[in-house]
Amino acid sequence: MPRKDLKPIGDLIQATGRGLDCLAGGFTIDPWKPVELSLITHAHADHARPVATRYIASKASVPLLRHRLGQDICIQGVDWGETLLLGDTRVSFHPAGHVLGSAQIRVEREGEVWVFTGDYKPDSDPSCEAFELVPCDTFITEATFALPVYRWPDGGTVVAEIIDWWQQMKRSNRPAVLFAYSLGKAQRVLAELRAYTDELVYLHGAVAPMTQLYRDAGIDMVPTELIDPKAPRQDYAGKLVLAPPGASGSKWMQRFPKASTGFCSGWMRVRGNRRRDGYDRGFVLSDHADWQGLLNTIEATGATRVLTTHGQSATLVRYLREERGIDAAELRTQYTDKSAVTPPTYEQASR
Amino acid sequence: MKAFARLYQSLDQTTSTNAKVAAMQEYFADAAPEDAAWAVYFLSGRRIKRLIGAALLRTWLVEESELPAWLVEDTYASVGDLAETIALLLAPTHDTGDVSSLSDLIEDKLLPLRGAEPAQQRAVVTTWWRTQAYERCYLINKLMTGALRVGVSQILLARALAENADLPRAVILHRLMGEWQPNAAFYNALIAEDDGAASQSRPYPFCLAAPLADAAGINTDCLASIETTLGPVSHWQAEWKWDGIRAQLVRRGGETFLWSRGEELIGERFPEIVAAAEKLDDGTVLDGELLAWKLPYTDEGVLPFAELQRRIGRKTVGKKLLNDVPCLFLAYDLLENNGEDLREYPLHARRTRLQALIGHSQSDDTRHGLQLSRQLEASDWSTLAEHRSDSRARQVEGLMLKRVDSAYGTGRKRGLWWKWKIEPHTVDAVMIYAQAGHGRRSNLFTDYTFAIWDDDVLVSFAKAYSGLDNSEIKKLDKWIRGNTIERFGPVRSVKPEQVFELAFEGINASSRHKSGIAVRFPRISRWRHDLSAKDADTLASVKRLIANSNG
Ligand SMILES: [Zn+2]
Ligand SMILES: [Zn+2]
């Protein structure tokens, strides 16, 4: 806890060597080095690391965090919008629309409001809470897809493409193996599919536990079955299989002879990314904001200052400064800093 | 245009050759001949010359996108392809403009752009950008810049067309040769009934050899084991296993056809061989190997495969290249003589006739493009093994063994032809540089430079591109990104920590290389996670290999 007589000066939230530190509140957001108290935006491995003594997160995030960081961690779940008094600050969690339980963290001190988005997506998604716009003075935004070529097609259209592809594979008697990150993207696909089918979808071992946690949280998804690696091989012709991208090209894939492969990711918007990894199909389904989504959100928050993390930070900063006249700067963090040509692999980081 | 865009998309979205053939068949079944002709034109790798310069397109893109120029450039750099960048930035979600047929689009709209006023060009092009949905916008850009590339081989295209038209594939391949105009008349002639004109060019299916190591119960290091499996050496005809291009030379009806094993007609690229074949009688088919070979001809004049590659790469061959890299056809079998199919005759009978046919040419004419593959004499297996140990010095891959009483088989028929290759050299080397690959691999580090120790200094000694599987490539790519020391343009120097076992076929002293040695066909045989840099081989030990292979 900060000492009352020692008033911290400078920015309310600062990127230090260990995370996004809030000295006035005595906590660190999404730390990557050991800290006492951490506030976690969401359960992806670049944001949730087992480095804190105590954790605070949205209630919906708690089971996911326990799964990833350990069942015995000391964690407090808070309701959406509930105000916590931490040090000199008032803190609340607001849905970020990224994955189940993902939060933006609002921090207020003496009328000055900061928001850190973590990762976010303003588009609709049946598998998680809808993004909430939180007005603020300083907005710390992710910039994973901050290039104007990243424009997301409507999610329903993309899922219809997945259904089409699955149907084609049924006709040609081949398995359809769809790669999607095991936390968030895979469950979004399973939830979106619900509008089209009730057919069983098969899951890789990395996807199954997350999916169960989503079911426990009441998310409506198509029925699924775990592929038991020890069970005798069976024929998956015409079946849809969901697996993490790390399984691509692995021995595990040998059980799906003649499979057609697809990858669900915002990176698939660019053909070279898809060709590079040899996926047959790329489905543009992202859990981040696209270029326009970032600009619209930034404008709508009314923020006069914008700080950026992730991906194309430098591009977004230059654009905001030169074209929008906004006071913008990059924050140096350790959140997955993947360039546009390197799709992030949360799975690998968490293993 | 819609149908062609759909075809392009289907071809782009699968790596299965059957699915590709099916997509082409579906397209050609419904396409109008004038559109199909253009589709064949592009699918067979032909291009229309760039209509508008890239610089102009980029200027228009900045104006149309209403984005700052630096952002458009950053975006282009990230996407890596101008046609795609334009389509991603500008194309609407749905078509709003008119959609003409492929032939109308090209003949009435695209081709007239050449030489038109820039203002008019701009109006036409930017209208497309604004009205055509992504796939078509991308395709039109590719067509305009003369850069459309489709991932199908000539063989696959021919297979689709041949199956649709119920014609032999060779007929289609033959008709696709040479110069033609992509119009309805061409396409109709392409799929017309076989009039026999093409059949005269047709080669026979190739007989292929299997590795001797695959023979049941054999240990190739043990001569007794070879003798037990193959019988006495007199049952076998032995020749060098050349490192060239397998080919058939067909002489019929006063014409010469040179076919590669990939069923491609490649005679245009080897005029000296075609000229030599003119002296053959009609109704002659030879099986053999295309090789680059020093002239005047001597028994030991073969040039490395890399030299031959310079010739294969060109459709037309200039005088200088012809002179620098002469090529010849080394015949080892006679499949047709005086119009008679000899394939059922035993090998020794075919060989006798082959020798009668061209055996004299090498003594007569040392510049001749047609030579006979020498038979290796051996009274026992150990003599043959001695020949084999000569392979490296002779720049061959080992020996070919063919049963003297065998008919000419089709495909890889077990037990008739064996290849008895020599083991490759191996060296443990340290990776010191990495570079991104080309094409599909342009975003991954796949080209590596390796070094070995010269005292306590690492000297670069070989580059290798292949040998790792996909997951290893990805792992290594990640490691390279995290362990870069310095960047020199596209090349990165990396920490000298990763050791790989490299295999290669030949090694020679070379003054052009820093290390003083040059290796042939280096490839990665495995990633030695168990070794650290200090365990890598030394220049001195590698130089000893040269002494051994030549001595
Ligand atoms: Zn995330
Ligand atoms: Zn993140």
Side-chain angles (χ1 to χ4, degrees):
Chain A
M1 283 292 127
R3 284 169 45 194
K4 276 265 155 63
D5 54 344
L6 242 181
K7 199 164 180 180
I9 43 164
D11 285 346
L12 184 55
I13 296 175
Q14 299 176 20
T16 63
R18 53 185 196 175
L20 291 182
D21 265 330
C22 178
L23 219 52
F27 59 85
T28 310
I29 303 175
D30 293 353
W32 52 82
K33 289 255 174 76
V35 298
E36 164 66 23
L37 175 61
S38 79
L39 273 54
I40 304 290
T41 58
H42 66 288
H44 277 148
D46 57 324
H47 295 261
R49 299 176 204 239
V51 291
T53 316
R54 285 192 302 130
Y55 300 86
I56 302 177
S58 75
K59 270 190 178 153
S61 261
V62 171
L64 299 167
L65 287 168
R66 283 199 189 281
H67 178 84
R68 288 229 147 158
L69 303 180
Q71 292 302 331
D72 54 352
I73 54 169
C74 169
I75 184 165
Q76 175 191 352
V78 295
D79 282 319
W80 296 120
E82 177 187 341
T83 301
L84 300 173
L85 298 176
L86 296 171
D88 291 344
T89 64
R90 296 163 64 84
V91 173
S92 52
F93 287 66
H94 305 267
H98 173 59
V99 298
L100 184 63
S102 67
Q104 309 172 74
I105 297 178
R106 179 187 188 275
V107 183
E108 183 184 343
R109 184 189 58 176
E110 294 171 1
E112 183 189 356
V113 178
W114 286 56
V115 168
F116 173 50
T117 62
D119 297 334
Y120 70 103
K121 166 174 96 262
D123 314 273
S124 80
D125 174 345
S127 69
C128 68
E129 309 85 352
F131 174 83
E132 179 190 328
L133 184 80
V134 185
C136 57
D137 302 304
T138 299
F139 189 54
I140 308 177
T141 177
E142 60 138 322
T144 310
F145 287 105
L147 274 181
V149 280
Y150 292 108
R151 263 199 285 166
W152 306 149
D154 164 66
T157 316
V158 179
V159 175
E161 281 173 22
I162 295 176
I163 289 276
D164 263 2
W165 167 65
W166 184 7
Q167 294 305 320
Q168 274 173 36
M169 289 314 115
K170 271 190 188 166
R171 284 194 296 274
S172 46
N173 255 319
R174 298 168 65 192
V177 180
L178 185 60
F179 297 106
Y181 299 124
S182 61
L183 167 55
K185 195 70 64 66
Q187 293 75 30
R188 179 178 180 193
V189 170
L190 293 170
E192 300 259 17
L193 283 175
R194 194 70 185 74
Y196 294 84
T197 178
D198 274 326
E199 202 178 323
L200 192 65
V201 173
Y202 292 84
L203 303 183
H204 181 276
V207 177
M210 292 301 167
T211 306
Q212 189 53 49
L213 293 174
Y214 268 61
R215 285 196 199 285
D216 297 346
I219 305 297
D220 186 19
M221 296 179 286
V222 292
T224 53
E225 187 179 307
L226 170 68
I227 295 172
D228 180 356
K230 286 184 215 93
R233 299 222 171 155
Q234 67 180 85
D235 184 10
Y236 292 97
K239 307 291 188 214
L240 181 66
V241 178
L242 270 183
S248 165
S250 73
K251 240 192 163 137
W252 184 81
M253 284 297 291
Q254 286 171 2
R255 68 193 69 227
F256 311 108
K258 295 201 286 188
S260 175
T261 56
F263 183 31
C264 277
S265 165
W267 302 112
M268 295 297 100
R269 173 87 169 136
V270 173
R271 188 171 169 273
N273 291 336
R274 170 166 63 80
R275 305 291 299 179
R276 187 191 75 138
D277 283 344
Y279 299 115
D280 292 327
R281 299 292 304 266
F283 300 103
V284 186
L285 201 64
S286 176
D287 44 22
H288 295 267
D290 66 4
W291 171 252
Q292 210 52 54
L294 292 168
L295 296 182
N296 293 347
T297 307
I298 289 166
E299 192 175 346
T301 59
T304 50
R305 187 167 169 220
V306 174
L307 301 171
T308 63
T309 68
H310 292 79
Q312 304 286 333
S313 277
T315 307
L316 184 59
V317 165
R318 181 168 175 193
Y319 185 83
L320 292 174
R321 296 179 76 95
E322 293 184 8
E323 302 297 317
R324 300 282 165 105
I326 292 178
D327 177 13
E330 254 184 277
L331 269 192
R332 295 234 162 252
T333 65
Q334 293 199 359
Y335 308 132
T336 326
D337 180 30
K338 299 283 183 179
S339 67
V341 294
T342 315
T345 41
Y346 301 115
E347 269 69 29
Q348 278 161 11
S350 70
R351 232 177 261 143
Chain B
M1 181 62 189
K2 270 202 166 145
F4 184 68
R6 219 166 24 240
L7 170 64
Y8 178 84
Q9 204 174 355
S10 319
L11 294 174
D12 196 45
Q13 286 176 347
T14 180
T15 47
S16 147
T17 50
N18 285 337
K20 286 185 182 191
V21 170
M24 286 189 279
Q25 285 177 329
E26 196 178 316
Y27 172 82
F28 286 117
D30 293 334
E34 61 272 21
D35 295 328
W38 277 107
V40 169
Y41 187 83
F42 294 121
L43 293 172
S44 64
R46 290 164 169 82
R47 303 179 194 187
I48 46 182
K49 268 208 210 113
R50 174 185 281 280
L51 296 163
I52 295 172
L56 213 46
L57 294 176
R58 277 153 85 163
T59 311
W60 298 341
L61 173 61
V62 170
E63 291 164 9
E64 288 294 311
S65 67
E66 295 172 359
L67 291 170
W70 66 265
L71 183 53
V72 172
E73 285 305 312
D74 273 13
T75 304
Y76 173 36
S78 164
V79 173
D81 181 293
L82 184 59
E84 185 179 2
T85 307
I86 294 169
L88 286 172
L89 286 178
L90 299 179
T93 325
H94 301 285
D95 280 316
T96 51
D98 88 301
V99 181
S100 27
S101 71
L102 180 62
S103 54
D104 284 351
L105 174 81
I106 292 168
E107 293 164 18
D108 301 346
K109 297 179 178 158
L110 271 176
L111 294 178
L113 286 177
R114 199 190 300 282
E117 290 293 315
Q120 195 204 336
Q121 289 181 331
R122 187 187 189 287
V124 172
V125 170
T126 55
T127 306
W128 279 327
W129 289 353
R130 291 268 164 228
T131 56
Q132 303 288 318
Y134 173 80
E135 275 298 329
R136 275 178 297 286
C137 182
Y138 170 75
L139 264 184
I140 292 173
N141 292 338
K142 282 282 175 197
L143 289 170
M144 269 194 304
T145 50
L148 180 68
R149 222 184 264 252
V150 198
V152 292
S153 66
Q154 187 101 325
I155 302 289
L156 281 193
L157 169 65
R159 193 175 129 196
L161 289 164
E163 283 173 22
N164 265 20
D166 199 15
L167 286 168
R169 201 191 309 175
V171 172
I172 298 283
L173 282 167
H174 180 65
R175 288 173 177 173
L176 284 174
M177 292 303 305
E179 287 281 310
W180 43 263
Q181 291 304 314
N183 53 33
F186 162 76
Y187 182 73
N188 288 329
L190 179 67
I191 56 168
E193 226 170 279
D194 189 6
D195 54 4
S199 69
Q200 80 166 27
S201 77
R202 214 162 301 156
Y204 293 102
F206 285 86
C207 176
L208 305 176
L212 186 57
D214 291 358
I218 209 157
N219 172 356
T220 51
D221 291 331
C222 166
L223 290 182
S225 146
I226 292 178
E227 179 139 25
T228 314
T229 309
L230 301 188
V233 77
S234 59
H235 288 180
W236 298 88
Q237 172 179 317
E239 293 160 84
W240 296 120
K241 160 98 184 67
W242 298 100
D243 180 20
I245 296 173
R246 184 76 181 281
Q248 268 182 51
L249 188 57
V250 176
R251 177 77 184 163
R252 289 189 196 120
E255 281 190 80
T256 299
F257 308 93
L258 183 61
W259 290 91
S260 73
R261 214 193 100 195
E263 287 190 46
E264 227 186 321
L265 275 167
I266 49 176
E268 291 166 329
R269 300 174 206 186
F270 299 96
E272 66 267 69
I273 294 172
V274 172
E278 257 164 43
K279 294 183 197 142
L280 295 171
D281 289 331
D282 272 344
T284 305
V285 177
L286 296 166
D287 182 13
E289 194 97 2
L290 267 175
L291 292 158
W293 206 290
K294 254 183 282 187
L295 292 182
Y297 179 87
T298 65
D299 205 25
E300 299 183 359
V302 71
L303 294 169
F305 186 79
E307 295 291 307
L308 178 59
Q309 256 172 336
R310 293 170 59 194
R311 289 285 301 267
I312 308 163
R314 306 285 175 80
K315 281 229 157 149
T316 52
V317 196
K319 269 221 180 83
K320 174 157 178 7
L321 191 59
L322 261 178
N323 213 25
D324 291 354
V325 189
C327 289
L328 55 78
F329 183 90
L330 200 68
Y332 38 65
D333 213 330
L334 180 62
L335 309 185
E336 183 178 309
N337 191 16
N338 298 321
E340 184 192 358
D341 180 352
L342 302 184
R343 290 177 300 160
E344 289 304 315
Y345 285 80
L347 174 62
H348 59 80
R350 299 200 306 273
R351 178 80 194 183
T352 309
R353 288 170 81 165
L354 175 68
Q355 280 170 335
L357 194 70
I358 59 167
H360 54 85
S361 60
Q362 62 203 72
S363 50
D364 291 359
D365 181 357
T366 53
R367 306 198 70 83
H368 206 269
L370 190 52
Q371 300 288 344
L372 184 69
S373 163
R374 200 181 122 199
Q375 217 173 316
L376 299 172
E377 302 302 330
S379 50
D380 49 41
W381 284 104
S382 62
T383 316
L384 216 47
E386 268 170 44
H387 279 305
R388 176 170 170 265
S389 64
D390 233 13
S391 297
R392 242 172 218 125
R394 303 196 63 112
Q395 307 205 57
V396 298
E397 296 180 324
L399 301 183
M400 285 293 306
L401 303 173
K402 303 171 182 173
R403 256 196 95 93
V404 292
D405 58 357
S406 65
Y408 187 86
T410 294
R412 212 174 291 277
K413 205 160 182 184
R414 276 297 155 93
L416 303 183
W417 286 21
W418 297 109
K419 40 189 176 191
W420 189 14
K421 294 226 257 182
I422 45 175
E423 304 300 328
H425 290 299
T426 62
V427 161
D428 295 323
V430 188
M431 181 169 76
I432 53 168
Y433 299 114
Q435 187 171 358
H438 298 283
R440 200 165 80 64
R441 293 232 166 271
S442 60
N443 297 324
L444 274 182
F445 288 97
T446 57
D447 300 1
Y448 320 111
T449 302
F450 299 95
I452 47 181
W453 293 105
D454 185 12
D455 287 332
D456 52 357
V457 182
L458 280 169
V459 288
S460 76
F461 119 101
K463 281 187 169 196
Y465 312 96
S466 62
L468 294 177
D469 65 31
N470 271 342
S471 71
E472 285 177 319
I473 288 175
K474 281 191 204 166
K475 219 190 266 170
L476 189 53
D477 178 80
K478 207 171 169 190
W479 183 87
I480 291 164
R481 289 173 197 274
N483 292 276
T484 297
I485 299 173
E486 249 184 301
R487 300 173 190 217
F488 317 92
V491 180
R492 293 179 176 205
S493 67
V494 296
K495 292 184 191 156
E497 288 174 2
Q498 301 298 334
V499 179
F500 295 82
E501 179 181 287
L502 304 185
F504 47 92
E505 298 303 331
I507 180 163
N508 286 298
S510 162
S511 53
R512 285 186 298 140
H513 293 78
K514 214 194 256 173
S515 59
I517 46 179
V519 293
R520 296 200 315 129
F521 313 129
R523 55 194 184 272
I524 300 166
S525 55
R526 61 202 164 106
W527 189 347
R528 297 293 303 260
H529 297 283
D530 54 323
L531 297 185
S532 62
K534 64 175 175 17
D535 303 318
D537 278 307
T538 63
L539 189 56
S541 70
V542 174
K543 276 186 171 160
R544 236 170 286 137
L545 292 173
I546 305 183
N548 294 343
S549 61
N550 295 343

